[in-house]
Amino acid sequence: MMKKPVLGRMGSGLRTPKPHEHMLGPIQKISQPMRRFDPGEEVDYVIVGVGAAGGVLLQRLARAGFRVVGFDAGPFWDTERDWVSDEAGSYNLYWNDLRVTGGSDPLAFGANNSGKGVGGGTVHWAGFTPRFHPSDFRVYSEDGVGADWPISYEDVKPYYELMEREIPVSGPAYYPWGDPHGYPYGPHPLGGVGDALVKGCTKLGIGVVAGGPVAITAGSHGDRPHCIYRGFCIQGCKVGAKQSTLISHVPDAIRHGAEIRDRCMVSRILLGSDGLVTGVRYFDANGQEHEQRAKVVLVCGYSIETPRLLLNSACSGFEQGLANSSGLVGKFLMAQAGNVVLGRFADLVRMYKAPPAHALTEEFYETDPKRDFARGFAIQTVGPLPIAFAKQMMTAKGAWGWGLRQVMMDYNHWAAFGFLGEILPWEDNRVELADETDQYGLRVAKITFSLHDNDKKLVAFGVNKTMEVMRAAGAEEVVQEPRYAHLIGGARMGNDPRSSVVDSFGRTHDIPNLILCDGSIFPTQGSANPGLTIQALAARTADYLISEGEAVRSRHTQTIIRPPIRYHLSPASTAGRGVPRLRSLRPRPTIGAGGLAPGSKG
């Protein structure tokens, strides 16, 4: 019999956080004071944006012993003080600053595709963590569209395996698509929406997996409790079960001497007379302007703010934007088609009673020569809460007034699937600078986005297939809301400086000590959620930077082709945990007694 409750005695509730503690959940906290570098002191690395990539880089470089400062335009969230269990109250998690959007199929910005604050978009992502497929890295070679990456799936695979333990990822023991593999932590139980997806796919003979892969703990993990299945994942997980770099990597970075300057907007990257960057200029929380000197600058602002910063840093020699000799900074912006298909069922579904992300199919991921378009799509569970559901019903059904109230009273009978379709990279989809300025006097981003013929055919086919699955599951009424998800591109990687902005490790072709590391460097996007790949590439770039050392500031070409994987840099007790990986997963799972050591090929 337990004599003392884990989280405090009965009647006292959860204890009040102490003034010096930074709370990241009901039991996870940062107790020690954060290191503060002296004004004017040159550090080894400045990181602009402490999100998916920036959080991993901050942690890796600090643990390796470097002096590193991370800047974020938003707050360093204290989840117990700053977050509320309220859908409308999560507004401040998103990047809601002014952006100008246009084109024939303009993008919407805010809650769906960008975050503001330490942890960035991982604070409010749903947490789906599928890997990219091997074909995603050679789209042009295989399908004659898009572009090839300068790296292969095999270059990223060991980092997928590493991050799936660090996050950690819960998922099925056998995942059949792409490079078939299993997950180190067990799957989640299905909610009503997952039941519907599995039922619909099964009836149509479509392969489907349940319980993940998702960046949510199915059991307690270190000082993070298990998921409580209340469906608030994309409003910021106060429980601490869903991963964001805010809780998985930032605490370890602070413990190893990293500094985070939150509410600090980086306005310009500074270029020295020798052609190397020397640091950044930024506005602090009081609007005062400062400079921070650094040997290396890492930009991790994602697909809008990274190009915007480079363009706003134009200077002599780079009049069209820093590191923009190719003219491609801001170009080839991509977003995945993210239509939501909703179905009404006679029985109760209660789509809030599970993580939104817990079942999916990638059966239509690859190019099918029988179809009249290239590439493919995924179908995933989503779980809109009432406010989001109301917006979807207004769009999908034209519901308003009393009609909308009637639909809302029926909320618990609806299920929602997310169609996630690959839109190809097109040069005319781009980020530029608008004439309008923000609160700091900086020109804001102007985004132009239009769908091309292949994109329209893919979306039409994929949405119809998703609606077919919903009907097969037993839905009496099926409607859909057109939308987008997941920004990618704007500073693509490649081997040729004339047709790309950075090399395979994110190092800009023009300036050796200026590194970009976020979704902006992806040449293509697949139809997998990009969060896992962004974090995996960040760990790979960190290994590269550590191997290069001072040579990263040299104008010589890189000397490291494949850096060693530094398992010892993982946050404590994460790299080696989880169940052993199956040794062979092609073409069907082989159950055996042997496991794999870290870094072994599965």
Side-chain angles (χ1 to χ4, degrees), residues 84-87 90 230-237 352 354 356 385:
V84 292
S85 294
D86 179 83
E87 190 178 358
S90 300
R230 65 183 189 141
F232 264 83
C233 302
I234 62 175
Q235 285 73 37
C237 177
Y352 61 89
L385 295 181

Side-chain angles (χ1 to χ4, degrees), residues 238-292:
K238 279 180 67 69
V239 176
K242 189 197 73 174
Q243 185 257 3
S244 67
T245 54
L246 171 71
I247 65 171
S248 63
H249 287 79
V250 165
D252 195 66
I254 300 299
R255 283 191 288 268
H256 287 87
E259 179 185 356
I260 292 177
R261 297 182 194 168
D262 64 324
R263 304 180 190 272
C264 289
M265 180 68 179
V266 173
S267 58
R268 173 175 287 272
I269 302 167
L270 304 173
L271 186 69
S273 58
D274 59 356
L276 299 175
V277 294
T278 60
V280 298
R281 187 175 297 151
Y282 68 97
F283 291 93
D284 66 17
N286 298 315
Q288 300 298 310
E289 197 167 18
H290 307 272
E291 291 185 6
Q292 174 61 58

Side-chain angles (χ1 to χ4, degrees), residues 7-167:
L7 298 179
R9 293 188 177 279
M10 295 297 292
S12 63
L14 299 178
R15 66 176 180 79
T16 301
K18 297 178 181 177
H20 68 279
E21 291 179 336
H22 195 103
M23 301 300 295
L24 299 176
I27 59 177
Q28 186 180 16
K29 61 182 180 295
I30 301 174
S31 297
Q32 75 274 26
M34 183 162 52
R35 179 176 182 177
R36 302 289 182 180
F37 292 95
D38 294 333
E41 180 180 357
E42 183 184 56
V43 297
D44 297 313
Y45 291 95
V46 153
I47 298 174
V48 182
V50 187
V56 173
L57 284 162
L58 186 83
Q59 181 269 331
R60 287 295 199 281
L61 295 172
R63 198 174 246 270
F66 292 101
R67 297 168 299 160
V68 56
V69 176
F71 288 89
D72 202 282
F76 187 175
W77 301 111
D78 183 305
T79 64
E80 293 296 287
R81 297 177 174 93
D82 298 336
W83 293 0
V84 292
S85 294
D86 179 83
E87 190 178 358
S90 300
Y91 177 83
N92 290 329
L93 300 180
Y94 318 127
W95 190 288
N96 295 306
D97 293 7
L98 175 65
R99 286 166 172 168
V100 179
T101 185
S104 61
D105 303 281
L107 301 174
F109 294 98
N112 189 42
N113 50 30
S114 51
K116 189 173 186 180
V118 176
T122 62
V123 165
H124 65 83
W125 68 330
F128 263 129
T129 48
R131 302 178 186 180
F132 277 20
H133 290 202
S135 67
D136 286 320
F137 297 85
R138 50 178 190 266
V139 170
Y140 184 77
S141 294
E142 290 198 2
D143 298 318
V145 295
D148 286 345
W149 292 49
I151 56 177
S152 70
Y153 172 85
E154 292 301 323
D155 292 314
V156 188
K157 179 178 178 178
Y159 292 99
Y160 279 144
E161 294 176 345
L162 187 60
M163 296 311 299
E164 284 163 356
R165 295 183 185 276
E166 291 184 18
I167 283 174

Side-chain angles (χ1 to χ4, degrees), residues 43 72 174 179 196 214 327 345 421 461 464 466 470 493 557 565 567:
V43 297
D72 202 282
Y174 177 58
D179 173 30
V214 64
F345 290 79
F461 180 93
N464 285 335
T466 306
M470 185 68 81
M493 68 164 75
T557 57
I565 302 168
Y567 295 98

Side-chain angles (χ1 to χ4, degrees), residues 172-191:
Y174 177 58
Y175 193 82
W177 301 289
D179 173 30
H181 57 280
Y183 288 95
Y185 292 88
H188 288 269
L190 279 179

Side-chain angles (χ1 to χ4, degrees), residues 326-339:
S326 65
L328 295 181
V329 168
K331 296 184 178 179
F332 296 106
L333 179 72
M334 292 166 278
Q336 288 169 324
N339 301 52

